[in-house]
Amino acid sequence: MSAPVVELKAAEVRFASGPPWAKRHVHALRGIDLAIGKGETLGLVGESGSGKSTTGKVCLGLQRPIKGQVLFGGAPFIYRRRALKGALAAVLQHPQWSLNPRLHVGTSVAEPLVINGMGTTRERGAAVAAMLERVGLEPALAKRLPHQLSGGQRQRVAIARALITKPRFIVFDEAVSALDVSVQAQILNLIRELQHETGFAALFISHDLAAVRYVADRVAVMYAGEIVEFASGATFYRRALHPYTRGLQEASELLEEPDAKLMDVAGQPPSQGCALSQRCPLVIERCRAERPPLRPLGDDLVACHRAREALPAA
Ligand SMILES: Nc1ncnc2c1ncn2[C@@H]1O[C@H](COP(=O)(O)OP(=O)(O)OP(=O)(O)O)[C@@H](O)[C@H]1O
Ligand code: SF4
Ligand SMILES: [Mg+2]
């Protein structure tokens, strides 16, 4: 089997915040392991502040972990600018974060080629026209400014810009969250088609479990800087094994028959035992004393002492 395109091994990230006299440290990632293969999409879900965007930044080399390893194509990540020559790209929630409002759309889409010294001016022009067409935009739109486009068109431009260097890995961070539902569906379909054609590996971060279920082959569920479950995409069609994942499913109305008790997922995790032990309705003494490791269960990996009880009877 070929090496995964992107791999994190026990990656840890801490941030310091606040003024010097009252510094706080946030343990944003507490030892994350993941691997994404060619043509595969890993969905990443979890509440706000659980560490999803930080995971994306670590995978892209934009945030160095304080511990652990980041591998790209099986080799340690090279943190030199342009070392990976357009092999990585990102599509963010608001296209204005990746598109300069003063640059014509065509210039923005061509920019990654210019930055990475790829192609002549003529070749870049042809590549931009072909890419705009591929994402469903008239090549004439290249002469417009971002504010002269609709939200869906702007997100298509952001996707064109991300794909122009033929990257091997793309992070989609809440890439469809700001769009109307019907436009979301078009953009998700476009992402799937483009991935089928070019085979990029993808990390698809979203609050929207339905969108994740639509595009992801596997889903990683994060809580307080840890991955508590790796589920196959199919798991998201049924009740998940981890109580926190079930809480997310119920909150997003993905399940038709929610449990009576919905897990409250706010607050800081305790320093010992399971990170969820202060708010999980299924907590037992063992949960407060012993941190559950990710263990295989059915087709999934689950970090919960009581997950086996949620397995459907054979
Ligand atoms: N540059 C930073 N400096 C200080 N703290 C940070 C920084 N970036 C993230 N954090 C903190 O790290 C934690 C994880 O943040 P992250 O942005 O990864 O969460 P997220 O899951 O993407 O949330 P959201 O769903 O709101 O986008 C949060 O507590 C956040 O406040
Ligand atoms: S280990 Fe215990 S506290 Fe943690 S999620 Fe499972 S049942 Fe809840
Ligand atoms: Mg985020």
Side-chain angles (χ1 to χ4, degrees):
M1 207 184 81
S2 62
V5 178
V6 177
E7 210 172 346
L8 302 189
K9 291 188 174 175
E12 280 190 44
V13 171
R14 261 180 218 272
F15 292 114
S17 63
W21 59 90
K23 267 219 167 5
R24 275 184 59 240
H25 288 272
V26 178
H27 208 163
L29 298 190
R30 295 169 185 260
I32 298 283
D33 290 285
L34 59 80
I36 311 174
K38 188 172 185 297
E40 188 193 23
T41 297
L42 178 69
L44 187 57
V45 301
E47 66 174 321
S48 185
S50 56
K52 305 181 298 296
S53 296
T54 306
T55 303
K57 285 178 192 158
V58 170
C59 290
L60 290 169
L62 299 173
Q63 176 70 53
R64 274 191 195 224
I66 52 163
K67 279 191 196 158
Q69 267 190 305
V70 185
L71 304 177
F72 193 74
F77 198 96
I78 304 167
Y79 286 93
R80 228 175 29 244
R81 216 173 149 240
R82 282 188 270 164
L84 292 166
K85 272 226 161 203
L88 307 159
V91 179
L92 307 175
Q93 178 168 4
H94 295 289
Q96 57 267 35
W97 294 343
S98 32
L99 301 178
N100 183 330
R102 285 185 293 273
L103 287 186
H104 285 130
V105 158
T107 312
S108 278
V109 174
E111 201 173 41
L113 295 173
V114 177
I115 291 170
N116 289 290
M118 297 164 95
T120 62
T121 308
R122 181 191 288 262
E123 285 163 351
R124 290 198 285 262
V128 168
M131 185 53 76
L132 287 179
E133 207 167 346
R134 178 61 200 88
V135 299
L137 295 172
E138 293 280 328
L141 290 186
K143 290 272 171 271
R144 291 214 196 152
L145 291 168
H147 78 268
Q148 295 170 317
L149 302 176
S150 70
Q153 285 175 325
R154 276 200 292 268
Q155 205 55 306
R156 286 176 193 268
V157 173
I159 291 172
R161 180 184 153 94
L163 276 158
I164 194 81
T165 55
K166 301 191 169 64
R168 290 161 61 198
F169 173 58
I170 307 183
V171 173
F172 295 90
D173 193 346
E174 303 286 359
V176 297
S177 308
L179 303 173
D180 291 347
V181 173
S182 62
V183 182
Q184 274 189 13
Q186 293 166 13
I187 299 291
L188 291 175
N189 277 329
L190 176 66
I191 292 171
R192 285 212 327 191
E193 283 169 25
L194 291 167
Q195 186 176 36
H196 198 70
E197 286 167 26
T198 66
F200 57 79
L203 181 67
F204 188 89
I205 298 169
S206 182
H207 281 92
D208 181 349
L209 265 57
V212 169
R213 187 174 69 173
Y214 189 67
V215 292
D217 303 294
R218 283 182 306 136
V219 183
V221 182
M222 281 195 89
Y223 179 78
E226 291 176 30
I227 293 180
V228 297
E229 179 164 7
F230 272 106
S232 65
T235 298
F236 275 72
Y237 287 97
R238 61 162 168 79
R239 189 175 295 270
L241 297 177
H242 197 288
Y244 175 63
T245 312
R246 281 206 298 280
L248 288 178
Q249 286 179 329
E250 286 164 8
S252 74
E253 296 173 358
L254 212 63
L255 292 184
E256 282 174 8
E257 294 168 37
D259 284 344
K261 269 191 185 168
L262 181 62
M263 188 186 293
D264 167 15
V265 292
Q268 276 293 311
S271 53
Q272 202 188 345
C274 173
L276 286 145
S277 58
Q278 286 168 347
R279 54 191 58 91
C280 176
L282 303 181
V283 64
I284 49 174
E285 222 24 68
R286 185 180 175 198
C287 307
R288 300 190 210 279
E290 204 185 305
R291 181 180 161 178
L294 269 174
R295 272 190 295 245
L297 195 59
D299 297 332
D300 300 353
L301 286 173
V302 190
C304 170
H305 295 308
R306 301 192 63 186
R308 191 164 288 283
E309 297 166 36
L311 271 179

